[in-house]
Amino acid sequence: MAHPLVPPQPVIYLVEPFGGSVRRQNANMPHVFWDDAVVTRGDGIFETILVKDGRPVNLEKHLERFRRSAAQLDLPEPRGEQWRAATRDAVADYVREHGETEAACAWTMSRGRASTGVPTAWLTVRPPDPELARLRKKGVKAMTTGRGYSVDTGDGSAPWLALGAKTLNYTATMAALRWAREHGFDDIIYIDPATGRVLEGATSTVLVVKKGGRLRTPEAGPDVLPGTTIQAVFDHAAAQGWRCKAKPLYVDDLHSAQSVWLVSSVRRGVRVTHLDGTQLSTPDNEKEVAKLIDASLAAHPD
Ligand code: PLP
């Protein structure tokens, strides 16, 4: 347990990316160099994993996406046994040192130092942002917007775009979120301005609950990241009798839905209470849906 006057530090493990050592890093010491591509170019991939009841949730789904992202970006293939072991050790340290069982675990792999050309990788385990718990209770006011740039949706004219990979380049997303917050919104739902098709949240997947026990989400694709949380929710909800489908959704579908949620690993599920300034109706089954999302994350403790 940490000294009460010294806030506990995040747990950091360095992961040698070619299957070598995994070792604890002192959080007071820097471990990324000035010429690391993650610092100079934002060139790398990441995963953010929920730790609940002292265990990483959906670990295998995250590993699968991390592997896919690495392959798309010509980074070394993450070795499952190495990342699983590093995560297990880091979470155990965190639980022991913080006396808490809920956390956010982030995996990062960077193209590495320009001077060595060797990729760098590490993971951190730290307390979840307390704001997320507040938003889970209160809901979010979201605005819809285009991304401000168009994504090549797969006609092959820009094959180097690592679409579907979870890359670190979130500068435009963070700027959009700052803008939204300055204008009284909590979050953003991206739409395709040409068609009005709903894409995804700024850092989340859109989940729509419709009457008759139906759950809908936009299909993952070039401009919609395949989310691990929505996958877990659909697996669990389908087994509970919900009818789950990924299909095209439009802004009107959000307004006419029973409820609209943003889901992602550490956020879990937050309900959208207002969309573009219009209050969405409060469904009778709000608590049931929130529980369903939580239960689906408990149901996948790999
Ligand atoms: N879409 C985007 C753009 C994201 O950044 C995220 C998570 O960070 C998600 C969707 C949800 O992914 P997951 O459920 O795997 O956390």
Side-chain angles (χ1 to χ4, degrees):
M1 188 71 70
H3 189 281
L5 295 178
V6 181
Q9 294 285 351
V11 174
I12 303 177
Y13 270 69
L14 306 185
V15 181
E16 200 282 311
F18 293 104
S21 67
V22 167
R23 64 184 168 82
R24 177 87 185 251
Q25 166 73 12
N26 181 340
N28 291 309
M29 302 295 288
H31 67 272
V32 179
F33 284 90
W34 64 276
D35 63 342
D36 195 295
V38 91
V39 177
T40 56
R41 307 274 188 214
D43 186 357
I45 57 172
F46 77 111
E47 286 294 324
T48 306
I49 302 164
L50 171 67
V51 175
K52 204 175 161 197
D53 303 322
R55 301 178 69 168
V57 174
N58 281 329
L59 191 66
E60 295 306 313
K61 287 185 174 65
H62 284 286
L63 189 55
E64 206 178 290
R65 190 172 59 195
F66 201 48
R67 279 209 190 99
R68 242 182 8 244
S69 302
Q72 279 177 270
L73 283 145
D74 296 327
L75 288 166
E77 183 184 346
R79 299 191 181 196
E81 66 280 15
Q82 194 188 17
W83 284 90
R84 280 188 209 100
T87 304
R88 188 191 54 226
D89 291 352
V91 168
D93 290 357
Y94 176 88
V95 170
R96 196 174 53 248
E97 291 165 22
H98 287 239
E100 297 284 344
T101 57
E102 183 151 342
C105 172
W107 294 353
T108 307
M109 189 188 289
S110 154
R111 196 160 304 283
R113 299 190 64 183
S115 52
T116 64
V118 178
T120 41
W122 67 92
L123 64 80
T124 61
V125 181
R126 65 199 148 87
D129 179 354
E131 175 70 358
L132 292 177
R134 200 180 67 81
L135 295 178
R136 270 198 298 276
K137 278 209 190 96
K138 187 181 141 269
V140 289
K141 294 180 177 152
M143 60 174 265
T144 57
T145 175
R147 288 187 195 273
Y149 56 88
S150 66
V151 175
D152 178 331
T153 49
D155 67 1
S157 61
W160 56 85
L161 281 180
L163 301 172
K166 194 162 162 67
T167 61
L168 280 164
N169 191 352
Y170 272 55
T171 306
T173 303
M174 294 299 115
L177 280 173
R178 278 197 305 279
W179 193 93
R181 283 166 194 155
E182 276 159 24
H183 290 80
F185 299 97
D186 301 301
D187 215 324
I188 285 175
I189 295 177
Y190 285 125
I191 53 161
D192 173 1
T195 61
R197 191 167 56 88
V198 175
L199 302 175
E200 60 186 351
T203 61
S204 60
T205 304
V206 175
L207 167 67
V208 168
V209 182
K210 298 181 80 155
K211 288 197 189 87
R214 289 172 297 157
L215 301 183
R216 300 286 180 259
T217 193
E219 288 168 297
D223 46 7
V224 180
L225 186 79
T228 60
T229 311
I230 194 73
Q231 224 186 315
V233 170
F234 270 23
D235 288 351
H236 178 70
Q240 306 290 311
W242 291 77
R243 286 150 55 211
C244 306
K245 242 190 217 156
K247 57 186 287 188
L249 293 168
Y250 296 87
V251 176
D252 281 353
D253 295 315
L254 303 184
H255 284 283
S256 64
Q258 223 178 30
S259 58
V260 179
W261 299 73
L262 299 178
V263 302
S264 69
S265 301
V266 181
R267 173 186 284 107
R268 302 193 238 161
V270 298
R271 189 171 78 80
V272 179
T273 58
H274 296 74
L275 191 65
D276 296 325
T278 302
Q279 185 164 8
L280 302 181
S281 56
T282 309
D284 297 338
N285 62 356
E286 183 175 17
K287 285 212 169 77
E288 185 193 344
V289 175
K291 269 197 192 142
L292 182 78
I293 295 169
D294 266 353
S296 66
L297 296 172
H300 289 259
D302 310 278

